[in-house]
């Protein structure tokens, strides 16, 4: 789920922090710059793990800061494909389920990766699974007895498998034009998102399989 990557950068230390030990001052400045930021094809920055190298601070004309060339290891959040993790259901709609791990919310389960047969219940705003049903049409599933449904409710902790992740570079810029017609910009997308699955045994809300073990 978490990986280490080495980064090189030039980091300024403000005059107000000259009294702080350089190691601590640099760590604080690096965390300010990188924490909660997505690096393309690397992952979501969490925090500095350690400093590998740091040169001598040099003053640049005009700002009074000490600038250090540093090499450091950063902790990144990037689950690998097929990794099984725990997450919380943030919301559900007709297109699937959105998950959260607390510090990261761009995790999704599309309909194709839900256990089958399943359907979305508009009144409960939640998807449910009918493990012993042979129904395939949504209408038939929604006619099933409520007692037979295994709901995936908002706020529930679920065990999911990571299928894929995707990085998207949404750099701001002027509207594009083609043959004199201005093209509207696409809706803003998350710079990093993860697609997960619930479609295997052992995956899903924790109580599903705990109850099955207790019954066994």
């Amino acid at each position: 789920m978490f990986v280490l990557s080495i980064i090189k950068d030039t980091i300024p230390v403000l005059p107000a922090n000259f009294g702080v030990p350089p190691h601590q001052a640099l760590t604080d400045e690096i965390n300010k710059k990188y924490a909660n930021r997505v690096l393309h094809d690397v992952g979501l920055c969490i925090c500095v793990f350690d400093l590998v190298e740091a040169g001598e601070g040099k003053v640049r004309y005009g700002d009074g800061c000490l600038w250090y060339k540093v090499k450091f290891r950063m902790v990144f959040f990037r689950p690998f494909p097929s990794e099984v993790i725990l997450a919380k259901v943030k919301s559900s709609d007709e297109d699937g389920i959105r998950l959260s791990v607390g510090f990261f919310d761009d995790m999704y389960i599309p309909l194709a990766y839900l256990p089958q047969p399943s359907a979305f219940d508009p009144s409960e705003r939640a998807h449910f699974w009918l493990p012993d049903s042979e129904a395939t049409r949504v209408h038939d599933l929604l006619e099933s007895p409520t007692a037979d449904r295994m709901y995936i409710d908002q706020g529930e902790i679920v065990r999911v498998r990571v299928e894929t992740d995707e990085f998207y570079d949404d750099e701001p810029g002027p509207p594009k034009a083609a043959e004199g017609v201005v093209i509207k910009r696409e809706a803003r997308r998350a710079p990093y998102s993860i697609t997960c699955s619930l479609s295997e045994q052992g995956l899903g809300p924790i109580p599903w399989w705990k109850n099955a073990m207790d019954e066994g």
Side-chain angles (χ1 to χ4, degrees):
M1 185 186 298
F2 297 100
V3 296
L4 291 177
S5 290
I6 294 178
I7 300 176
K8 294 181 180 180
D9 200 353
T10 302
I11 301 295
V13 173
L14 297 173
N17 295 324
F18 285 174
V20 179
H23 179 277
Q24 185 60 50
L26 286 170
T27 299
D28 292 343
E29 292 301 326
I30 293 170
N31 281 329
K32 286 180 186 177
K33 180 176 181 178
Y34 284 92
N36 205 33
R37 173 182 167 190
V38 172
L39 292 192
H40 200 78
D41 289 333
V42 182
L44 175 69
C45 302
I46 303 299
C47 65
V48 173
F49 183 76
D50 62 7
L51 298 182
V52 179
E53 295 177 5
E56 292 186 1
K58 295 183 179 180
V59 177
R60 291 182 181 177
Y61 177 78
D63 61 13
C65 295
L66 277 177
W67 292 79
Y68 292 83
K69 289 185 177 180
V70 294
K71 181 178 179 182
F72 54 94
R73 290 193 293 176
M74 175 71 72
V75 179
F76 287 87
F77 172 72
R78 189 182 185 183
F80 57 84
S82 298
E83 182 175 1
V84 175
I85 62 176
L86 294 178
K88 181 182 288 187
V89 176
K90 184 177 178 67
S91 61
S92 299
D93 59 23
E94 294 83 354
D95 297 323
I97 298 173
R98 185 175 185 180
L99 306 172
S100 173
V101 289
F103 56 86
F104 183 74
D105 296 340
D106 292 309
M107 302 175 64
Y108 303 91
I109 305 174
L111 297 179
Y113 287 126
L114 289 173
Q116 299 301 321
S118 62
F120 178 70
D121 185 344
S123 61
E124 295 289 336
R125 301 299 300 173
H127 289 267
F128 63 87
W129 176 37
L130 281 178
D132 298 322
S133 174
E134 296 181 358
T136 56
R137 297 189 305 171
V138 173
H139 174 75
D140 295 335
L141 292 169
L142 291 175
E143 291 294 322
S144 63
T146 305
D148 295 341
R149 303 176 184 179
M150 300 179 71
Y151 278 94
I152 306 170
D153 294 315
Q154 182 176 347
E156 198 155 28
I157 302 298
V158 293
R159 184 179 289 112
V160 297
R161 187 185 69 192
V162 176
E163 294 292 335
T164 61
D165 61 4
E166 180 183 11
F167 292 89
Y168 180 71
D169 190 6
D170 188 19
E171 289 294 334
K176 297 179 180 179
E179 298 179 357
V181 179
V182 176
I183 301 175
K184 292 184 179 180
R185 287 177 59 86
E186 296 181 2
R188 187 171 180 84
R189 293 171 56 184
Y192 177 50
S193 60
I194 299 173
T195 300
C196 301
S197 170
L198 279 180
S199 58
E200 289 187 2
Q201 281 210 352
L203 302 181
I206 300 300
W208 284 6
W209 304 106
K210 184 178 184 299
N211 293 340
M213 291 176 63
D214 292 343
E215 292 172 4

